[in-house]
Amino acid sequence: GIGVREFGLDFVWPMARIVRNQSFVPRYREAANILLDVLYWAEVNPSIQLRCTGFPPCMLRWAKDENVPADVKRLRDKYLVESVVRSIIVWPNEARIDWMAWCRALKTQGPACRTCPWSASCLGVWKSYARLYGLNELPEPSVYDGQGGRS
């Protein structure tokens, strides 16, 4: 192997001029299948630790895979929980920042998120993403019953 032990996958954070150009920032529905492929890849490569940030668990509803409803809770709990990241080291000065406080200031949740079973561990979407696309694509909590099955 190439000696990789940890792999980070972060959804794009629309910033600056990109916020005005949707061609640079995919919608969650466009990224769902790629994310699912990476999650399944991580399942068959357990020696590599996968860390995902910026992906609300509800986005998996758009993945075109018949196993998603059964797998969503397990995959979400294992890979898509941003709230487990407490602090990060920022390069180049190697300063440590409080990841949760930083994300809370820069992210938002939609109205449907208030009753979502994942609201305690999901930080929502970047505010700049919400300005670009709105919050309408975030599903009502009834889309998934919180146990991984469709309701």
Side-chain angles (χ1 to χ4, degrees):
I2 60 174
V4 175
R5 289 182 284 186
E6 188 174 330
F7 181 77
L9 181 64
D10 303 311
F11 192 77
V12 65
W13 174 24
M15 298 170 54
R17 293 182 191 146
I18 291 176
V19 174
R20 291 178 238 126
N21 190 339
Q22 291 183 348
S23 66
F24 288 110
V25 182
R27 286 182 171 273
Y28 284 120
R29 69 180 69 243
E30 296 165 345
N33 284 323
I34 295 167
L35 173 62
L36 190 62
D37 287 346
V38 170
L39 297 181
Y40 285 145
W41 171 84
E43 290 287 285
V44 297
N45 291 283
S47 63
I48 299 174
Q49 180 183 356
L50 176 64
R51 175 196 47 78
C52 297
T53 58
F55 298 96
C58 62
M59 75 172 282
L60 288 177
R61 78 183 184 139
W62 293 295
K64 306 290 189 270
D65 186 306
E66 62 193 38
N67 296 318
V68 170
D71 287 347
V72 72
K73 183 177 185 334
R74 181 180 57 78
L75 294 173
R76 188 274 311 185
D77 289 346
K78 190 170 181 180
Y79 300 111
L80 300 183
V81 182
E82 281 186 312
S83 62
V84 301
V85 180
R86 296 292 176 211
S87 66
I88 61 172
I89 296 175
V90 181
W91 184 84
N93 62 358
E94 297 188 17
R96 185 170 291 277
I97 66 167
D98 180 334
W99 171 256
M100 295 297 288
W102 187 71
C103 282
R104 276 192 213 97
L106 297 171
K107 288 191 165 197
T108 187
Q109 292 184 326
C113 300
R114 287 187 206 114
T115 56
C116 177
W118 297 307
S119 65
S121 61
C122 176
L123 301 173
V125 301
W126 297 112
K127 288 178 182 176
S128 54
Y129 180 92
R131 284 191 297 273
L132 190 62
Y133 290 117
L135 296 171
N136 291 336
E137 70 180 318
L138 298 177
E140 292 296 321
S142 61
V143 170
Y144 289 109
D145 66 11
Q147 300 304 310
R150 292 203 185 266
S151 46

